[in-house]
Amino acid sequence: PSKYSNDSYNTSYNFYSYSIYKMIPFRVTRLTETAKLPTKENEGDLWDLYANDFCIEHLKDRNETMFKSIEESHVDLAPMGRVLVKTGISLELPIQYSVLPRGTDKATTQWFYIEVDNTIDRLPEAYAVADIRPRSGLALKHGITVLNSPGTIDNSYRKEIGVILYNAGHEAYTITKGDKIAQMLIRPLYPSQMEEMEDIKDTGRGGYGSTGK
């Protein structure tokens, strides 16, 4: 059988075919007993992420202007303060290839979970990545946003997912373990190739604010 065939053909490759429904699969591992898996209310929604722990060791300006307090169960995030909220989960994101199933002459796109060992001798069609975005309710009501929005999780990243929350509001805001803190979008990232040129064509378009209000 072809090495691009699915599990029913007795191969060792683990993949899912969602070429009809355009669904991107992904795997999640809970790293702690208290971690919550991502959830969504409706099929068309983004995935909600939950707070599991807090980390301030990366901050050079750790003081009460950043936090009113930080406890085992919660953190009081001061105005203009930021904190790394740990989710307690890690992801495994697949890679999409164009394959020719056995007994057919029409190629389809499949999402594979594979080790990076050069066993597939063709370029990927797309890589699955995850974008971390703010929750609109937290942003509007409390000024809480994702500081590096959208924070993108690369396809090969397997460590714990952390969310950098920033308080752009005027009052301290309490983040408690188990709270919904952000949303996650799983999307394809298509391969790109850079070409260096001596110059590029000028379209005549201006810079910041050139098109008016």
Side-chain angles (χ1 to χ4, degrees):
S2 167
K3 65 181 177 181
Y4 303 112
S5 302
N6 67 20
D7 293 334
S8 65
Y9 299 143
N10 298 318
T11 70
S12 61
Y13 288 99
N14 191 359
F15 85 104
Y16 293 87
S17 172
Y18 289 101
S19 57
I20 297 178
Y21 301 105
K22 304 298 183 183
M23 184 181 293
I24 303 177
F26 67 99
R27 293 170 172 171
V28 182
T29 296
R30 279 188 276 203
L31 304 176
T32 70
E33 293 182 355
T34 57
K36 288 187 176 182
L37 293 176
T39 63
K40 57 180 178 179
E41 297 296 329
N42 302 292
E43 187 57 38
D45 294 350
L46 301 187
W47 293 93
D48 288 318
L49 297 180
Y50 296 85
N52 184 68
D53 205 352
F54 311 103
C55 179
I56 61 173
E57 63 184 36
H58 303 291
L59 303 181
K60 294 182 178 180
D61 46 353
R62 302 192 296 262
N63 53 51
E64 63 181 13
T65 63
M66 190 71 65
F67 309 98
K68 293 297 183 182
S69 66
I70 183 165
E71 307 291 343
E72 182 177 350
S73 63
H74 69 275
V75 59
D76 294 327
L77 192 58
M80 298 185 68
R82 67 190 185 277
V83 64
L84 177 63
V85 183
K86 303 169 72 173
T87 62
I89 63 170
S90 62
L91 303 181
E92 183 179 1
L93 299 165
I95 302 174
Q96 187 183 67
Y97 291 89
S98 178
V99 299
L100 188 64
R102 188 176 62 174
T104 69
D105 58 1
K106 184 178 181 180
T108 63
T109 55
Q110 318 280 4
W111 289 99
F112 285 79
Y113 294 108
I114 63 172
E115 296 294 332
V116 182
D117 57 4
N118 298 319
T119 54
I120 288 188
D121 56 0
R122 62 185 68 187
L123 291 175
E125 298 249 331
Y127 298 87
V129 297
D131 285 345
I132 308 302
R133 301 165 181 258
R135 301 189 70 231
S136 58
L138 283 179
L140 177 62
K141 297 175 183 179
H142 306 287
I144 303 300
T145 188
V146 176
L147 185 57
N148 61 327
S149 178
T152 299
I153 301 168
D154 295 329
N155 180 271
S156 60
Y157 184 74
R158 298 289 186 268
K159 304 299 184 182
E160 183 174 8
I161 304 304
V163 180
I164 307 171
L165 291 187
Y166 176 73
N167 186 355
H170 300 291
E171 298 179 351
Y173 181 77
T174 300
I175 304 167
T176 303
K177 291 182 179 180
D179 284 355
K180 293 179 180 179
I181 55 169
Q183 293 184 311
M184 180 173 68
L185 170 66
I186 307 296
R187 63 173 178 86
L189 173 67
Y190 297 100
S192 58
Q193 182 175 350
M194 183 180 70
E195 181 181 3
E196 183 181 8
M197 307 291 291
E198 291 186 3
D199 56 61
I200 56 176
K201 183 178 180 180
D202 186 2
T203 64
R205 179 171 177 171
Y208 303 104
S210 62
T211 59
K213 293 182 67 176

